[in-house]
Amino acid sequence: MGADQVDNGGAGGGGAVPVVPYTNGGAHHPTDEQIMDGMLQQRYLHAKKLDRDYSHLFRSKTTVQLIRLSAVIVGIEFLYAAETAFVTPILLGIGLSHTFMTMIWAFSPVLGFFCAPMIASLSDTIRLQWGRRRPVLVGLGAAMMVGLWILPQGRAIGVFFGDPDVPVDQMQGFRWAIPVTIVGLVLTDFDAETSNGIARAYFMDMCTPNDQARVLTTAMFIGGLGGTAGYVLGAIDWSRTNLSVLGSNEATVFVMVFCVVGIGLLVTVTSYREVPLPLLETDPLLQPISASAFETEKARQLAVYSISRDVTDSPVKQQHPDGSPALDGELTDRPLQLRDFLRNIVRMPRSLFILYATQFFSQLGYLSYCLYFTDFVGAEVFGGDAAAPVGSPELALYEEGVRYGCWGMAVFAICSASYSVVIERLIQRFGGRPVYMGGLLLFSLGMLLMGLFREKFVIFITCPTVGIMYATMYSIPYLLVSQYHSKNSFAMKDGKCVKNTTKRGFGADVSLMSNMLFLAQLIISLAIGSIIDAVESNVVVIFSASIFSLVAALSASQVLYMDL
């Protein structure tokens, strides 16, 4: 087996092996890059010699390997596309008003708000041989796939158990269709978003610091492609194709989503093996290189250089006051007890609070758009009616508008994938603050124009702003959380990072970021529907998206960016 080919649980070789540890030949003291390369190489060689090879944790990965690692995001974004396109029409199609329909959307965020952080905290503490994140991803994925089968079949299942099979405008006594559909929606929506946060924690666990931004942008890119494919499938009238034997138009799309989610999940969980937590706790050279570990090694090398021009390769082992060996930089992603986790929420650092608030308002804006966009196009742009009788011109117009809206959302997904390719370079050139704020402000302007000019061509002009905002929202905040943890700092004073003294789980903090979606969805679900029914127009969702995104941009101006 070559030096750059490792047995990593199914992900073959490839990727650049770190350079040989820096040894000073007497000319210059070591640079930061040379010190980091040496630390990575030391860990790479150590991990490669173990009974199970974990050297993939300490080498750079190729683009193909990053795609394999993040493949589950394709399925999740594919699922989001199907939800966005069809869930609102499905709920309206079983006779629900906008008020009750949006209240049903609240079931998933209520569950997620309370349970998702606990699941993420669990993923910080699982002590299985298979790892911490992957068992959780498999469990969530299985539940998600069950929901994908149930959701589009709610009405058919209801009819099987005795509900009337009658046209929409005559539906009465639906004892089964509505609760069955709710179960399917909760399983898909809750598990997809919770998986989204856990998956991102897994991606970054498997990557070197320099690859963490790359894997997030890679996930955004392939996720955008998955979302594009999902929206395109939703724009096709499958009832006129040979695949119509799968059932309704919605059922056909959801069967395809089921297959994509399953394949993406399988590819990700078989890509790279995780270090079991018990081994991670006892072997310092398998732990991620934290900021404190790097500074300790840097101080050691500079101290040795000042005494002798012959620098050794072995790092000085630190000790606790009791004489026991210290972990390399102290494992920052230590297991959190429930008590610690709850205390961390109450005593949240100001930097995290502002970042979460920004994500919360961003999600409010995005969800106002995505949950009701196809309904907005079908009703306001095309003049259709989801509750019209089967076969009526009004229902035909609405369904045409829903498919047209899917094409608009496909444009948004393509732009999201495209923007994710360049966002890292934009951050490097302009800095995190203007890129973050700019993406949110552009979306706000796009939604304002869409609400003012309800024309078909405006849909395709403004949907790209959604893609820019979405790529921004699912990259920069996660990079910042990773940066806070890698530096073990959540505050700065006099231009320097202030060391954190409180245990915080990385997976839990990433999940709290995802939890902002559940909180935003809960508020949107409980409020927007009654407003739509009151004003008898769903254009309010587009204007609210513009306002919320503007507030998010203002909040982003106060975020702590450190070196981003």
Side-chain angles (χ1 to χ4, degrees):
M1 182 180 295
D4 63 343
Q5 293 180 320
V6 297
D7 175 15
N8 48 38
V17 176
V19 299
V20 176
Y22 175 78
T23 56
N24 194 343
H28 303 286
H29 64 73
T31 65
D32 287 358
E33 182 178 358
Q34 289 168 330
I35 294 172
M36 177 61 76
D37 286 343
M39 296 179 73
L40 285 171
Q41 177 70 354
Q42 181 192 37
R43 285 157 175 75
Y44 174 85
L45 295 175
H46 171 74
K48 195 171 180 63
K49 294 176 182 177
L50 299 177
D51 291 338
R52 305 191 73 188
D53 188 353
Y54 298 109
S55 59
H56 53 276
L57 296 171
F58 305 108
R59 62 172 173 81
S60 181
K61 294 175 176 60
T62 66
T63 300
V64 172
Q65 290 170 335
L66 293 180
I67 290 174
R68 182 174 184 181
L69 177 61
S70 54
V72 67
I73 296 297
V74 176
I76 292 175
E77 293 294 338
F78 210 83
L79 185 154
Y80 285 161
E83 276 193 341
T84 302
F86 291 117
V87 169
T88 293
I90 285 173
L91 296 176
L92 294 174
I94 56 177
L96 297 176
S97 67
H98 279 89
T99 299
F100 287 106
M101 180 269 295
T102 53
M103 290 178 67
I104 286 176
W105 272 112
F107 280 83
S108 176
V110 168
L111 180 64
F113 184 75
F114 292 103
C115 296
M118 313 306 316
I119 294 175
S121 184
L122 176 67
S123 80
D124 282 333
T125 62
I126 289 178
R127 309 182 72 84
L128 297 178
Q129 185 67 25
W130 206 47
R132 296 180 293 167
R133 318 291 186 198
R134 291 190 297 171
V136 177
L137 282 175
V138 169
L140 291 171
M144 193 191 320
M145 295 175 72
V146 171
L148 283 170
W149 181 82
I150 293 175
L151 181 57
Q153 304 292 344
R155 180 179 173 184
I157 294 173
V159 171
F160 177 80
F161 283 104
D163 284 351
D165 185 11
V166 293
V168 174
D169 60 336
Q170 300 175 17
M171 284 188 173
Q172 294 179 357
F174 279 82
R175 297 175 301 166
W176 293 101
I178 292 175
V180 167
T181 303
I182 291 174
V183 170
L185 176 59
V186 170
L187 285 173
T188 54
D189 200 40
F190 166 76
D191 291 306
E193 189 54 36
T194 305
S195 296
N196 212 338
I198 302 294
R200 280 172 165 77
Y202 172 61
F203 303 160
M204 290 187 280
D205 285 345
M206 295 299 103
C207 290
T208 64
N210 289 338
D211 276 352
Q212 288 184 345
R214 289 181 61 218
V215 75
L216 288 176
T217 54
T218 299
M220 281 301 309
F221 177 73
I222 64 174
L225 296 181
T228 301
Y231 291 124
V232 169
L233 289 178
I236 297 173
D237 186 357
W238 294 100
S239 63
R240 300 182 180 181
T241 69
N242 293 332
L243 291 177
S244 61
V245 295
L246 295 176
S248 65
N249 204 48
E250 294 86 352
T252 301
V253 173
F254 274 89
V255 167
M256 297 178 185
V257 176
F258 180 94
C259 296
V260 173
V261 167
I263 294 171
L265 177 65
L266 180 63
V267 170
T268 289
V269 299
T270 58
S271 60
Y272 290 100
R273 65 167 63 103
E274 295 180 86
V275 182
L277 184 57
L279 179 58
L280 193 66
E281 291 174 330
T282 57
D283 191 337
L285 293 181
L286 289 178
Q287 296 172 15
I289 300 176
S290 65
S292 58
F294 176 79
E295 292 301 326
T296 298
E297 175 64 7
K298 180 178 179 180
R300 183 196 74 81
Q301 291 203 23
L302 292 177
V304 172
Y305 172 78
S306 66
I307 297 173
S308 171
R309 306 183 88 177
D310 185 14
V311 180
T312 62
D313 294 340
S314 300
V316 174
K317 292 297 181 182
Q318 305 294 315
Q319 289 186 328
H320 290 295
D322 63 3
S324 61
L327 299 182
D328 192 359
E330 294 298 339
L331 183 61
T332 57
D333 194 16
R334 284 187 272 182
L336 292 180
Q337 301 298 324
L338 177 60
R339 177 182 55 194
D340 298 322
F341 172 70
L342 295 176
R343 183 170 58 242
N344 283 347
I345 295 178
V346 175
R347 300 178 182 177
M348 184 180 298
R350 181 176 183 273
S351 57
L352 278 180
F353 179 82
I354 295 175
L355 186 60
Y356 290 149
T358 304
Q359 188 75 345
F360 168 66
F361 285 112
S362 301
Q363 293 286 11
L364 281 176
Y366 173 69
L367 288 172
S368 295
Y369 158 83
C370 81
L371 293 183
Y372 309 108
F373 176 68
T374 54
D375 182 49
F376 162 78
V377 177
E380 297 294 332
V381 179
F382 278 72
D385 184 0
V390 175
S392 66
E394 292 81 5
L395 182 60
L397 278 174
Y398 181 83
E399 292 175 344
E400 183 183 356
V402 168
R403 291 193 293 271
Y404 190 89
C406 288
W407 287 115
M409 299 197 84
V411 171
F412 130 59
I414 291 174
C415 291
S416 174
S418 302
Y419 189 69
S420 68
V421 174
V422 301
I423 190 171
E424 187 178 352
R425 279 174 281 180
L426 291 176
I427 293 172
Q428 292 172 350
R429 180 168 182 177
F430 300 106
R433 190 188 309 273
V435 175
Y436 198 4
M437 293 181 63
L440 296 172
L441 288 172
L442 194 59
F443 173 73
S444 178
L445 177 61
M447 292 301 98
L448 179 62
L449 293 176
M450 186 183 294
L452 292 175
F453 306 102
R454 283 163 261 178
E455 301 291 340
K456 294 180 182 179
F457 72 93
V458 177
I459 300 297
F460 284 93
I461 293 175
T462 56
C463 276
T465 67
V466 188
I468 293 174
M469 183 263 203
Y470 190 77
T472 301
M473 182 175 66
Y474 275 98
S475 57
I476 294 181
Y478 291 92
L479 282 175
L480 287 170
V481 172
S482 176
Q483 186 177 54
Y484 296 160
H485 276 266
S486 67
K487 294 180 180 294
N488 194 29
S489 175
F490 297 89
M492 296 188 72
K493 185 177 182 180
D494 299 328
K496 297 181 179 179
C497 294
V498 178
K499 185 177 180 180
N500 173 55
T501 58
T502 304
K503 292 189 298 182
R504 297 197 67 90
F506 177 60
D509 279 349
V510 169
S511 178
L512 281 174
M513 185 68 67
S514 299
N515 215 38
M516 295 303 101
L517 181 142
F518 289 122
L519 183 59
Q521 187 175 331
L522 176 61
I523 292 175
I524 293 295
S525 299
L526 295 178
I528 291 294
S530 56
I531 296 175
I532 292 174
D533 285 340
V535 301
E536 298 182 348
S537 173
N538 55 16
V539 72
V540 295
V541 302
I542 303 300
F543 287 126
S544 65
S546 178
I547 294 171
F548 288 135
S549 186
L550 177 61
V551 175
L554 296 176
S555 178
S557 68
Q558 302 303 309
V559 167
L560 176 64
Y561 291 90
M562 290 188 175
D563 298 327
L564 191 65

